[in-house]
Amino acid sequence: MDGQLRERQLPGAGFRVCCEEMITPKQQALPNELRGIVGKQHVVENVTETGTMVGKGHAMVVVRPGTLQETMKVLEACLNAEVAILPQGAKTGITGGSVPRPCDRPMVVISTQRLQKILPIGDEAKQVLCFAGAGIFSVQETLKPLNRDSHSVLGSIFLNPSVAAGVAFGSGGTQIHKGPAFTNRALYCRVDANGQLKLVNTLGLNAHEDVVAFLDNAQALSSKDMDAKCTRAASWPKYPQHLTKLDGQVSRYNADLTGEDCNRSEGKVFILATIHDTFPMPQESKMVWVSCKDFATANHIKQKVALASPNCLPKQFEYMGREQFDCVDQGGRGIIKLIEMVGMSNLGTLWNFKLKFESLPLPFVNIIADKLLWYLNSAIPESLPKPLMEQGRKFDHHLIMEMTEFGNGELKQLDERLQRQLALNPGDISCYVCQDAFEKSRVMLFRFAVQPSIQTITVGKGRQGLIIDYAMPKNFDRILEMPKDCDIEMRCLCSHFGCNVFHESLMLSNDVDVKEVKKRIKQVIDEAGGKLPAEHGHGTEYEAPCSTQERWKRIDPTNSMNPGVGHSSSLKGYL
C-alpha cells in the first residue's frame, strides 16, 4: 500500500477466472446481443477499471447506450442473462461504488456517458430536464445564456460528474441556498421481485403514450409539455429554513430516506432522466476570504453572518483548516495549473485517461502521475495572490464566502453583518476581498483541489491515505477530536460549513490498519451525533444502516443493481 491512497486493491484478474468458470450460455451470448442494441463500437469486453480513490475490479462488459430506449433494452438483456448491473456516470465516486467488484455473477457496467441531453423547460427555464449522463458543469454552461443557474455544484465539478450520480448520492453542498442534489421528479427503472424491469415515471410531463420515445426525440420542452397539476418537488423543500434552524439534527446525509426512491439510491435503481429547479443568476457577487485565529471565531461568523436568516444566505460558505491550506499549496499547484491551461471542460478527458493508465497491469503505474505532480509542485507558481497566501499562512482557520445580490439587498445585508464582526474582533480576523473574476476563480480552484492534492502528497511521501466525509449536528460548534493512537501524520480538514458537512483527508503512517482507523473514527462521529457518510455514498467502504438496506431491498429485491454497496451482515443473502 506504500504510496497509494487506495485502501485495497480488488482482485480483477482472479475475479475474471472465477466468472469464466460460472458463466452461462446466456451470459456468454450477452456481449453480441448488446452490440446489436448499441453498436459494436459501444461495447467493450473484459475491462479492468480503477476507481478515483478506492477500488479496482473487472467487468465482463462495459456498454454505453446512446438513447433511453437503448438503455432499457440493455437493462432487459442484462436481466435476462442474470448478470449484475453497475450503473456508472463519470466515475468520480471515491468510495468504490462506481467500479466493479467481486460478485457471485459476472458484472456488466452500463455507462451513461452518451446520455447527455439537457432540455431547459419553457422560455424562462425555471426547471431543466437532464438525461442521466449529463454533467453538472455542462448543465451550468447550458443555462448561463438563459440567465439561470444550475441546481448543483460539487467540489469535483471540474470532472463534470453526472446529474444522475448527484441524485443517487444526494451530493452538492457547496451552494447552501440550493441544497443537495434532490428531486422527486424522475424517470427511472427498478427491478421487481420477479426480476422484471419496471419503469417509474414521476417527471410530471403531460401524458405521452411512450415517454421514453418522446424524450429521445425531444429537442426542446415547453410549458405545454408539463402537467400544471404536478406539485412534486424538484429541489429540497425549504432547505434554507432547515439549514438555519441550528438544532441537534444533521442537515443532510447518505442514509436519509426522504423523497422518491431515486434519491440516495446509490445505483439500486437506474436513473434515466430527472427534472431539477434552476436558480436565478445573481446580479452582483462579492467573494471574500476570511481568516480567523480560532475555530470558535469561525463558527461565530457562521451563526451571525452566513446563517442569520433563511431569506439571506450566501451563495457558498466553505471552511478550510490550516493543514488543508498547506496541503493544497504543497500538492495541488499542478492540478490547478492544468485546469488553467486546458480549461474546465477538457479536464475530465485527461482524468479518465489517468484512470485508464493506472489500471494497466504494470508495476508502479498507479502512482506515476501523482509522483510527477509531487516533484513538479515546487516549480509551479503559487496558486493564490501573494497577499492571500501570506494571510493563509498567518492564520489557522479560513472561510470562503460568496455573497450575492438577487434584487432584495442580500449582498448589502451579508456584507454589513460581516463588517460588524470584523469591527468586533480586530486582530483576530483578517478579510481579503477578491478583486476580479480571475481571483475568484483561483480561490474556487484552490478549494476544489483539496482531494487531488492529498492523493498527490500521500503518494509523494509514500504514505497511506484516508478520505472520509461526515455530517455533524447543525449546532455542533467545535472540531471533532480524532481517536488517539491513529498515527495521523497530516489532518486536512475542510467543510461545506453552512451545512456542517466535513471532509477529512488524512495521511497515515504505513504501520496502521486503515480499516481499523476508519472504524474508530466512525464510532467517534456516531457518539457525537454525526452521520457518516454525508455525501460520498456508502459504496464498498461503509456498512449502510438497516433502514437503508431495507429500502434498497424493497426497490431491488433480486439484488440485480449495483450489488455489494453498503454491505450488511444483517441482510445475508441479499447483498
Side-chain angles (χ1 to χ4, degrees), residues 293-299 302 319-323 396-398 470 472 475-482 491-495 497 500 502-504 506 524-525 528:
K293 70 168 186 176
D294 53 36
F295 187 79
T297 302
N299 194 72
K302 175 173 72 173
Y319 168 84
M320 183 180 295
R322 173 61 186 275
E323 283 190 285
D396 290 340
H397 304 274
H398 306 284
Y470 55 92
M472 295 307 295
N475 60 5
F476 191 84
D477 59 0
R478 61 192 183 278
I479 293 176
L480 190 73
E481 186 174 341
M482 288 286 106
R491 181 185 182 185
C492 302
L493 179 66
C494 63
S495 170
F497 204 33
N500 241 20
F502 292 86
H503 295 259
E504 300 261 9
L506 307 175
V524 170
I525 293 168

Side-chain angles (χ1 to χ4, degrees), residues 151-172:
H151 68 287
S152 178
V153 173
L154 309 182
S156 58
I157 190 172
F158 56 85
L159 300 177
N160 209 16
S162 69
V163 169
V167 173
F169 291 105
S171 54

Side-chain angles (χ1 to χ4, degrees), residues 100-303:
R101 79 284 313 205
C103 182
D104 60 350
R105 295 152 283 166
M107 186 166 281
V108 172
V109 172
I110 304 179
S111 170
T112 62
Q113 287 296 280
R114 293 177 63 218
L115 303 173
Q116 296 277 344
K117 186 176 288 188
I118 301 167
L119 298 174
I121 300 172
D123 295 335
E124 295 184 338
K126 290 186 176 181
Q127 293 184 323
V128 61
L129 184 142
C130 305
F131 278 19
I136 60 170
F137 179 73
S138 300
V139 176
Q140 191 178 65
E141 292 299 296
T142 299
L143 291 170
K144 274 183 181 179
L146 303 172
N147 202 32
R148 299 296 293 180
D149 200 4
S150 63
H151 68 287
S152 178
V153 173
L154 309 182
S156 58
I157 190 172
F158 56 85
L159 300 177
N160 209 16
S162 69
V163 169
V167 173
F169 291 105
S171 54
T174 63
Q175 300 193 348
I176 59 176
H177 67 297
K178 300 177 181 179
F182 175 92
T183 183
N184 286 332
R185 301 182 68 170
L187 183 70
Y188 62 95
C189 293
R190 57 176 296 269
V191 183
D192 69 14
N194 297 317
Q196 299 299 306
L197 192 69
K198 298 296 181 183
L199 182 66
V200 180
N201 178 12
T202 66
L203 285 172
L205 295 173
N206 279 327
H208 292 281
E209 189 171 325
D210 187 344
V211 65
V212 173
F214 169 77
L215 290 176
D216 275 338
N217 294 323
Q219 298 302 311
L221 289 175
S222 72
S223 57
K224 294 180 180 179
D225 293 309
M226 311 308 296
D227 181 359
K229 297 179 181 178
C230 180
T231 59
R232 288 177 172 269
S235 61
W236 194 287
K238 299 182 179 179
Y239 190 72
Q241 288 82 357
H242 165 63
L243 199 63
T244 53
K245 185 179 180 182
L246 301 180
D247 54 21
Q249 303 298 311
V250 302
S251 62
R252 55 190 178 88
Y253 62 107
N254 280 123
D256 192 340
L257 305 181
T258 303
E260 187 64 34
D261 285 336
C262 57
N263 292 293
R264 296 169 306 282
S265 53
E266 297 197 34
K268 301 306 291 183
V269 304
F270 199 105
I271 298 173
L272 298 174
T274 47
I275 288 177
H276 300 271
D277 290 332
T278 66
F279 294 80
M281 292 289 285
Q283 301 169 9
E284 184 184 355
S285 72
K286 179 179 180 179
M287 182 171 286
V288 296
W289 183 299
V290 181
S291 301
C292 307
K293 70 168 186 176
D294 53 36
F295 187 79
T297 302
N299 194 72
H300 186 76
I301 292 175
K302 175 173 72 173
Q303 294 181 2

